[in-house]
């Protein structure tokens, strides 16, 4: 090995394009991981901050949130749960509440919270696509 000289390969157009694509791929992976971590952190913060008062009588899979504004939503990625506010319970009739719960349960069955989180991460990671 002593006395041998090492040379760098010549840079041509194909090598430059390949290097640029590799760099773009590394950036996409990094942004994807950071976006996923941010989604997990924000989701956990949301779930922990909810003032849950308990389950809705007659609907053990529905959690009641103490809130003045009317809201109903589905949250959770692996086991989506339906949340309704106390304002919704006070304002809606039993038939209307049944329709809202059916709608939110459908979001849970389709795993919409997980799909939305994945979509947000991909939109952030693939920033260079229109």
């Amino acid at each position: 090995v002593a006395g041998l000289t090492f040379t760098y390969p010549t840079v041509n157009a194909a090598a430059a394009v390949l290097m640029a694509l590799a760099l773009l791929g590394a950036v996409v992976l990094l942004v994807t991981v950071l976006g996923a971590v941010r989604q997990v952190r924000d989701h956990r913060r949301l779930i922990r901050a909810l003032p849950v008062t308990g389950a809705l009588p007659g609907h053990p899979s529905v959690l009641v949130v103490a809130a003045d504004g009317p809201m109903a939503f589905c949250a959770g990625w692996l086991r989506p749960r339906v949340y309704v506010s106390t304002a919704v319970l006070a304002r809606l009739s039993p038939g209307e509440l049944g329709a809202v719960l059916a709608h939110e349960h459908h979001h849970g069955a389709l795993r919409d919270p997980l799909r939305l989180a994945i979509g947000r991460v991909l939109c952030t990671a693939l920033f260079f696509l229109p």
Side-chain angles (χ1 to χ4, degrees):
V1 176
L4 293 177
T5 59
F6 295 102
T7 61
Y8 293 103
T10 59
V11 177
N12 56 20
V17 168
L18 186 62
M19 196 60 149
L21 288 175
L23 181 62
L24 180 63
V27 169
V28 166
L29 286 176
L30 178 66
V31 171
T32 301
V33 169
L34 293 176
V37 168
R38 185 174 28 250
Q39 284 293 318
V40 169
R41 185 189 66 224
D42 291 346
H43 182 264
R44 285 184 180 171
R45 187 179 302 148
L46 168 74
I47 297 300
R48 287 182 185 147
L50 289 174
V52 175
T53 60
L56 182 65
H59 300 277
S61 65
V62 178
L63 297 177
V64 178
V65 177
D68 295 333
M71 62 179 165
F73 59 93
C74 180
W77 293 338
L78 300 179
R79 290 176 305 217
R81 308 232 17 209
V82 174
Y83 296 84
V84 294
S85 69
T86 52
V88 165
L89 298 176
R91 293 181 185 180
L92 297 181
S93 69
E96 292 169 332
L97 180 63
V100 168
L101 293 179
H103 174 87
E104 295 303 328
H105 280 298
H106 189 68
H107 281 301
L110 294 178
R111 305 264 190 239
D112 282 344
L114 179 62
R115 292 186 329 159
L116 288 172
I118 290 171
R120 284 188 208 109
V121 169
L122 288 177
C123 283
T124 303
L126 301 175
F127 58 90
F128 53 91
L129 294 178

